[in-house]
Amino acid sequence: MKGSTGAPVVILTGMGCSFYEWHSVSESLCKTNRVLMYHRPGLGRSQLQDDNRNTRKAVQELFNLIECLDFKEPIILVGHSYGGLCAQHFLKKYPYLVGGLILVDSTSVDLHELDELDLPLLNKDSTDEIWIQKCMEYSTMSEDEIFHELQPSLTEKEKQLPTEIQRNILTFSLNPLLYKAMASEIRNWKYDAEHIKHLHNPKNTPLIVIGRDKQFNIQTGINDGSPKSELELFENTWHQLIIDQLSLHSELIIAENASHNVHLDRPDVIEKAVGKVVSQLY
Protein backbone atom coordinates (compact mmCIF):
# COMPACT_ATOMS: atom_id res chain seq x y z
CA MET A 1 0.00 0.00 0.00
CA LYS A 2 1.28 3.45 -0.94
CA GLY A 3 -0.19 6.69 0.38
CA SER A 4 -2.14 7.32 3.57
CA THR A 5 -5.08 9.50 2.52
CA GLY A 6 -7.53 9.87 -0.31
CA ALA A 7 -9.61 7.48 -2.37
CA PRO A 8 -8.48 3.83 -2.42
CA VAL A 9 -7.10 2.86 -5.86
CA VAL A 10 -6.55 -0.84 -6.53
CA ILE A 11 -4.32 -1.86 -9.45
CA LEU A 12 -4.69 -5.33 -10.99
CA THR A 13 -1.66 -6.16 -13.11
CA GLY A 14 -1.59 -8.14 -16.33
CA MET A 15 -0.79 -11.80 -16.77
CA GLY A 16 2.82 -12.50 -15.83
CA CYS A 17 3.34 -8.83 -14.95
CA SER A 18 4.61 -7.35 -11.70
CA PHE A 19 3.44 -4.29 -9.85
CA TYR A 20 7.04 -3.05 -9.98
CA GLU A 21 6.30 -1.98 -13.57
CA TRP A 22 3.66 0.37 -12.17
CA HIS A 23 6.20 2.35 -10.13
CA SER A 24 5.72 5.64 -11.99
CA VAL A 25 1.92 5.45 -11.86
CA SER A 26 1.77 4.46 -8.20
CA GLU A 27 4.34 7.06 -7.09
CA SER A 28 2.25 9.77 -8.72
CA LEU A 29 -1.13 8.54 -7.50
CA CYS A 30 -0.07 7.95 -3.90
CA LYS A 31 0.40 11.69 -3.40
CA THR A 32 -3.37 12.09 -3.28
CA ASN A 33 -4.69 8.53 -2.99
CA ARG A 34 -4.14 5.26 -1.19
CA VAL A 35 -2.76 2.88 -3.81
CA LEU A 36 -3.00 -0.87 -3.35
CA MET A 37 -0.95 -3.20 -5.53
CA TYR A 38 -0.37 -6.90 -4.96
CA HIS A 39 0.75 -10.03 -6.76
CA ARG A 40 -1.71 -12.82 -7.40
CA PRO A 41 -0.71 -16.28 -6.06
CA GLY A 42 2.38 -17.59 -7.82
CA LEU A 43 3.61 -14.13 -8.76
CA GLY A 44 6.44 -12.34 -6.97
CA ARG A 45 6.71 -13.58 -3.40
CA SER A 46 3.10 -14.80 -3.29
CA GLN A 47 2.86 -18.54 -2.74
CA LEU A 48 0.90 -20.77 -5.13
CA GLN A 49 -1.10 -23.18 -3.00
CA ASP A 50 -3.68 -24.00 -5.67
CA ASP A 51 -2.33 -24.06 -9.22
CA ASN A 52 -5.79 -23.94 -10.82
CA ARG A 53 -5.90 -20.20 -11.45
CA ASN A 54 -8.92 -18.35 -12.86
CA THR A 55 -10.68 -15.00 -12.59
CA ARG A 56 -13.18 -16.32 -10.05
CA LYS A 57 -10.36 -17.01 -7.60
CA ALA A 58 -8.73 -13.66 -8.37
CA VAL A 59 -12.04 -11.94 -7.58
CA GLN A 60 -12.45 -13.78 -4.29
CA GLU A 61 -8.88 -12.97 -3.27
CA LEU A 62 -9.41 -9.28 -3.94
CA PHE A 63 -12.68 -9.34 -1.99
CA ASN A 64 -10.90 -10.94 0.98
CA LEU A 65 -8.10 -8.37 0.78
CA ILE A 66 -10.53 -5.44 0.74
CA GLU A 67 -12.35 -6.88 3.75
CA CYS A 68 -9.06 -7.29 5.61
CA LEU A 69 -8.02 -3.70 4.88
CA ASP A 70 -11.49 -2.49 5.89
CA PHE A 71 -11.85 0.24 3.26
CA LYS A 72 -14.73 2.52 4.15
CA GLU A 73 -15.23 3.86 0.62
CA PRO A 74 -15.77 2.14 -2.74
CA ILE A 75 -12.50 1.47 -4.56
CA ILE A 76 -11.29 2.84 -7.87
CA LEU A 77 -10.38 -0.35 -9.73
CA VAL A 78 -7.65 -0.20 -12.40
CA GLY A 79 -7.17 -3.37 -14.47
CA HIS A 80 -4.53 -3.89 -17.15
CA SER A 81 -4.69 -6.68 -19.75
CA TYR A 82 -5.66 -9.92 -17.94
CA GLY A 83 -6.03 -7.85 -14.79
CA GLY A 84 -8.74 -5.95 -16.68
CA LEU A 85 -10.62 -9.21 -17.23
CA CYS A 86 -10.42 -9.87 -13.48
CA ALA A 87 -11.59 -6.31 -12.82
CA GLN A 88 -14.63 -6.75 -15.06
CA HIS A 89 -15.50 -9.93 -13.17
CA PHE A 90 -15.07 -8.21 -9.80
CA LEU A 91 -17.30 -5.29 -10.77
CA LYS A 92 -20.08 -7.62 -11.88
CA LYS A 93 -19.91 -9.70 -8.70
CA TYR A 94 -19.36 -6.88 -6.19
CA PRO A 95 -20.64 -3.67 -7.85
CA TYR A 96 -21.29 -2.01 -4.47
CA LEU A 97 -17.56 -2.15 -3.69
CA VAL A 98 -16.48 -0.36 -6.88
CA GLY A 99 -16.78 3.41 -7.22
CA GLY A 100 -15.19 3.52 -10.67
CA LEU A 101 -13.47 1.22 -13.16
CA ILE A 102 -10.52 1.97 -15.44
CA LEU A 103 -9.67 -0.67 -18.03
CA VAL A 104 -6.15 -0.32 -19.44
CA ASP A 105 -5.87 -2.08 -22.81
CA SER A 106 -7.88 -4.80 -21.15
CA THR A 107 -8.45 -8.38 -22.25
CA SER A 108 -11.93 -8.59 -23.75
CA VAL A 109 -14.74 -10.95 -22.80
CA ASP A 110 -14.78 -11.72 -26.53
CA LEU A 111 -11.07 -12.56 -26.66
CA HIS A 112 -11.88 -15.74 -28.62
CA GLU A 113 -12.34 -13.52 -31.68
CA LEU A 114 -8.59 -12.99 -31.81
CA ASP A 115 -8.06 -16.74 -32.24
CA GLU A 116 -10.39 -16.77 -35.22
CA LEU A 117 -8.21 -14.35 -37.23
CA ASP A 118 -6.09 -15.63 -40.10
CA LEU A 119 -2.63 -14.75 -38.78
CA PRO A 120 -0.28 -17.58 -39.83
CA LEU A 121 2.95 -15.68 -39.13
CA LEU A 122 1.91 -13.77 -36.01
CA ASN A 123 0.44 -16.92 -34.48
CA LYS A 124 3.35 -19.16 -35.42
CA ASP A 125 4.80 -19.18 -31.90
CA SER A 126 2.08 -17.50 -29.84
CA THR A 127 -1.08 -19.62 -29.67
CA ASP A 128 -2.53 -20.44 -26.25
CA GLU A 129 -1.41 -24.04 -26.61
CA ILE A 130 2.18 -23.03 -27.34
CA TRP A 131 2.25 -20.59 -24.43
CA ILE A 132 0.85 -23.18 -22.02
CA GLN A 133 3.48 -25.68 -23.15
CA LYS A 134 6.28 -23.14 -22.75
CA CYS A 135 5.05 -22.02 -19.33
CA MET A 136 4.85 -25.59 -18.07
CA GLU A 137 8.42 -26.19 -19.24
CA TYR A 138 9.66 -23.08 -17.44
CA SER A 139 7.75 -24.07 -14.29
CA THR A 140 9.96 -27.15 -13.92
CA MET A 141 13.23 -25.20 -14.21
CA SER A 142 15.38 -23.59 -11.56
CA GLU A 143 15.82 -19.81 -11.48
CA ASP A 144 19.26 -20.17 -13.06
CA GLU A 145 17.86 -22.35 -15.83
CA ILE A 146 15.07 -19.86 -16.52
CA PHE A 147 17.63 -17.06 -16.66
CA HIS A 148 19.77 -18.90 -19.22
CA GLU A 149 16.70 -19.90 -21.23
CA LEU A 150 14.94 -16.51 -21.35
CA GLN A 151 17.84 -14.08 -20.91
CA PRO A 152 15.47 -11.48 -19.36
CA SER A 153 16.16 -7.87 -20.19
CA LEU A 154 14.61 -4.47 -19.54
CA THR A 155 12.73 -2.30 -22.01
CA GLU A 156 13.94 1.24 -22.59
CA LYS A 157 11.09 2.52 -20.41
CA GLU A 158 11.95 0.11 -17.60
CA LYS A 159 15.58 1.25 -17.71
CA GLN A 160 14.35 4.69 -16.66
CA LEU A 161 12.97 3.32 -13.38
CA PRO A 162 15.00 3.31 -10.12
CA THR A 163 17.75 0.69 -9.96
CA GLU A 164 16.06 -1.35 -7.24
CA ILE A 165 12.83 -1.49 -9.25
CA GLN A 166 14.79 -2.65 -12.29
CA ARG A 167 16.32 -5.49 -10.24
CA ASN A 168 12.89 -6.48 -8.92
CA ILE A 169 11.45 -6.64 -12.44
CA LEU A 170 14.25 -8.92 -13.62
CA THR A 171 14.06 -11.16 -10.55
CA PHE A 172 10.26 -11.39 -10.88
CA SER A 173 10.57 -13.15 -14.24
CA LEU A 174 12.78 -15.93 -12.81
CA ASN A 175 10.21 -17.49 -10.47
CA PRO A 176 9.10 -20.96 -11.71
CA LEU A 177 5.74 -20.56 -9.94
CA LEU A 178 5.02 -17.53 -12.13
CA TYR A 179 4.87 -19.77 -15.18
CA LYS A 180 2.79 -22.43 -13.48
CA ALA A 181 0.25 -19.76 -12.57
CA MET A 182 0.33 -18.27 -16.06
CA ALA A 183 -0.28 -21.65 -17.71
CA SER A 184 -3.40 -22.11 -15.61
CA GLU A 185 -4.67 -18.57 -16.26
CA ILE A 186 -4.26 -19.08 -20.02
CA ARG A 187 -5.92 -22.49 -19.83
CA ASN A 188 -8.98 -20.98 -18.14
CA TRP A 189 -9.30 -17.47 -19.55
CA LYS A 190 -11.65 -18.18 -22.47
CA TYR A 191 -14.06 -20.02 -20.20
CA ASP A 192 -13.73 -17.18 -17.66
CA ALA A 193 -14.40 -14.57 -20.35
CA GLU A 194 -17.56 -16.34 -21.51
CA HIS A 195 -18.77 -16.60 -17.91
CA ILE A 196 -18.09 -12.91 -17.22
CA LYS A 197 -19.84 -11.92 -20.44
CA HIS A 198 -23.13 -13.36 -19.20
CA LEU A 199 -23.07 -11.85 -15.72
CA HIS A 200 -25.28 -8.85 -14.97
CA ASN A 201 -23.58 -5.61 -16.00
CA PRO A 202 -23.94 -2.68 -13.54
CA LYS A 203 -25.15 0.38 -15.43
CA ASN A 204 -24.14 3.30 -13.22
CA THR A 205 -20.47 2.69 -12.45
CA PRO A 206 -18.18 5.33 -14.00
CA LEU A 207 -15.96 3.62 -16.56
CA ILE A 208 -12.92 4.83 -18.51
CA VAL A 209 -11.58 2.52 -21.21
CA ILE A 210 -7.97 3.18 -22.22
CA GLY A 211 -6.68 1.61 -25.42
CA ARG A 212 -3.24 1.47 -26.97
CA ASP A 213 -2.27 3.37 -30.11
CA LYS A 214 -3.22 1.16 -33.05
CA GLN A 215 -1.04 2.83 -35.68
CA PHE A 216 1.92 3.01 -33.31
CA ASN A 217 1.74 -0.75 -32.70
CA ILE A 218 1.33 -1.56 -36.39
CA GLN A 219 4.43 0.46 -37.24
CA THR A 220 6.39 -1.09 -34.36
CA GLY A 221 5.48 -4.54 -35.64
CA ILE A 222 6.49 -3.66 -39.17
CA ASN A 223 9.83 -2.38 -37.88
CA ASP A 224 10.30 -5.75 -36.16
CA GLY A 225 9.67 -7.60 -39.41
CA SER A 226 6.05 -8.71 -39.01
CA PRO A 227 3.69 -8.59 -42.03
CA LYS A 228 1.67 -5.38 -42.31
CA SER A 229 -1.55 -7.12 -43.39
CA GLU A 230 -1.59 -9.39 -40.33
CA LEU A 231 -0.68 -6.56 -37.99
CA GLU A 232 -3.51 -4.41 -39.35
CA LEU A 233 -6.01 -7.25 -39.00
CA PHE A 234 -4.97 -7.97 -35.43
CA GLU A 235 -4.77 -4.33 -34.30
CA ASN A 236 -8.08 -3.39 -35.94
CA THR A 237 -9.77 -6.31 -34.19
CA TRP A 238 -8.14 -5.50 -30.84
CA HIS A 239 -9.20 -1.86 -31.22
CA GLN A 240 -12.82 -2.90 -31.85
CA LEU A 241 -12.77 -5.18 -28.79
CA ILE A 242 -11.56 -2.22 -26.73
CA ILE A 243 -14.40 -0.06 -28.07
CA ASP A 244 -16.90 -2.82 -27.29
CA GLN A 245 -15.99 -2.52 -23.60
CA LEU A 246 -17.69 0.89 -23.46
CA SER A 247 -21.05 1.18 -21.74
CA LEU A 248 -23.28 3.81 -20.15
CA HIS A 249 -21.33 6.44 -18.18
CA SER A 250 -18.11 5.51 -19.98
CA GLU A 251 -15.32 7.25 -21.87
CA LEU A 252 -12.78 6.01 -24.40
CA ILE A 253 -9.18 7.28 -24.32
CA ILE A 254 -6.56 6.21 -26.85
CA ALA A 255 -3.07 6.53 -25.39
CA GLU A 256 -0.98 7.96 -28.20
CA ASN A 257 2.42 6.36 -28.81
CA ALA A 258 1.62 3.58 -26.36
CA SER A 259 2.08 -0.16 -26.71
CA HIS A 260 0.07 -2.71 -24.72
CA ASN A 261 2.09 -1.56 -21.69
CA VAL A 262 0.35 1.79 -21.37
CA HIS A 263 1.49 2.05 -17.74
CA LEU A 264 5.10 2.20 -18.94
CA ASP A 265 4.66 4.19 -22.15
CA ARG A 266 2.03 6.71 -21.01
CA PRO A 267 1.63 6.64 -17.22
CA ASP A 268 0.24 10.18 -17.42
CA VAL A 269 -2.85 8.92 -19.26
CA ILE A 270 -3.68 6.49 -16.46
CA GLU A 271 -2.99 9.08 -13.78
CA LYS A 272 -5.35 11.59 -15.41
CA ALA A 273 -8.04 8.92 -15.80
CA VAL A 274 -7.87 8.06 -12.11
CA GLY A 275 -8.05 11.74 -11.22
CA LYS A 276 -11.13 12.16 -13.42
CA VAL A 277 -12.96 9.25 -11.78
CA VAL A 278 -12.02 10.42 -8.29
CA SER A 279 -13.30 13.93 -9.03
CA GLN A 280 -16.65 12.47 -10.09
CA LEU A 281 -17.02 10.52 -6.87
CA TYR A 282 -15.61 12.80 -4.17
Side-chain angles (χ1 to χ4, degrees), residues 195-232:
H195 173 68
I196 296 167
K197 184 177 179 178
H198 290 94
L199 294 176
H200 174 70
N201 193 31
K203 297 184 181 302
N204 298 317
T205 304
L207 167 64
I208 295 181
V209 176
I210 300 174
R212 66 189 186 222
D213 187 328
K214 178 174 64 174
Q215 293 304 324
F216 175 83
N217 281 272
I218 291 173
Q219 189 58 54
T220 298
I222 291 173
N223 294 343
D224 290 338
S226 297
K228 180 180 179 181
S229 58
E230 291 189 22
L231 289 166
E232 288 179 336

Side-chain angles (χ1 to χ4, degrees), residues 100-117:
L101 176 62
I102 299 171
L103 297 177
V104 183
D105 217 38
S106 171
T107 300
S108 167
V109 293
D110 291 314
L111 67 96
H112 66 89
E113 292 186 16
L114 297 172
D115 287 346
E116 298 166 4
L117 302 177

Side-chain angles (χ1 to χ4, degrees), residues 112-125:
H112 66 89
E113 292 186 16
L114 297 172
D115 287 346
E116 298 166 4
L117 302 177
D118 183 21
L119 306 169
L121 294 179
L122 289 184
N123 285 340
K124 183 179 179 182
D125 297 312

Side-chain angles (χ1 to χ4, degrees), residues 9 18 45 47 61 87 116 136 151 174 176 194 211 244-245:
V9 178
S18 73
R45 298 176 183 174
Q47 295 301 308
E61 289 154 2
E116 298 166 4
M136 291 309 297
Q151 293 292 311
L174 302 179
E194 193 64 23
D244 291 344
Q245 292 169 7

Side-chain angles (χ1 to χ4, degrees), residues 82-267:
Y82 177 78
L85 191 64
C86 297
Q88 293 174 69
H89 195 165
F90 188 88
L91 172 64
K92 290 187 173 185
K93 186 167 184 180
Y94 300 110
Y96 62 93
L97 292 176
V98 182
L101 176 62
I102 299 171
L103 297 177
V104 183
D105 217 38
S106 171
T107 300
S108 167
V109 293
D110 291 314
L111 67 96
H112 66 89
E113 292 186 16
L114 297 172
D115 287 346
E116 298 166 4
L117 302 177
D118 183 21
L119 306 169
L121 294 179
L122 289 184
N123 285 340
K124 183 179 179 182
D125 297 312
S126 61
T127 64
D128 283 3
E129 292 73 20
I130 290 174
W131 272 110
I132 291 171
Q133 180 181 353
K134 287 181 178 179
C135 285
M136 291 309 297
E137 290 175 359
Y138 301 151
S139 73
T140 64
M141 296 179 180
S142 67
E143 291 190 3
D144 286 341
E145 289 172 332
I146 293 174
F147 178 82
H148 289 296
E149 178 71 21
L150 298 182
Q151 293 292 311
S153 61
L154 299 171
T155 67
E156 290 305 312
K157 296 291 184 180
E158 290 170 337
K159 290 177 182 177
Q160 299 173 21
L161 298 174
T163 302
E164 182 181 358
I165 299 298
Q166 294 182 38
R167 282 198 299 267
N168 288 337
I169 291 173
L170 291 173
T171 302
F172 177 88
S173 65
L174 302 179
N175 181 3
L177 292 181
L178 165 68
Y179 300 99
K180 195 171 186 179
M182 283 177 60
S184 184
E185 289 176 343
I186 297 169
R187 196 177 288 117
N188 290 319
W189 68 344
K190 288 190 178 68
Y191 172 81
D192 292 341
E194 193 64 23
H195 173 68
I196 296 167
K197 184 177 179 178
H198 290 94
L199 294 176
H200 174 70
N201 193 31
K203 297 184 181 302
N204 298 317
T205 304
L207 167 64
I208 295 181
V209 176
I210 300 174
R212 66 189 186 222
D213 187 328
K214 178 174 64 174
Q215 293 304 324
F216 175 83
N217 281 272
I218 291 173
Q219 189 58 54
T220 298
I222 291 173
N223 294 343
D224 290 338
S226 297
K228 180 180 179 181
S229 58
E230 291 189 22
L231 289 166
E232 288 179 336
L233 178 57
F234 182 85
E235 288 297 329
N236 285 334
T237 304
W238 181 275
H239 184 71
Q240 186 58 53
L241 292 176
I242 292 295
I243 292 175
D244 291 344
Q245 292 169 7
L246 294 168
S247 62
L248 196 63
H249 305 292
S250 65
E251 177 184 355
L252 173 65
I253 300 174
I254 300 300
E256 294 183 2
N257 299 318
S259 67
H260 181 53
N261 293 324
V262 180
H263 56 290
L264 288 169
D265 296 332
R266 292 296 308 276

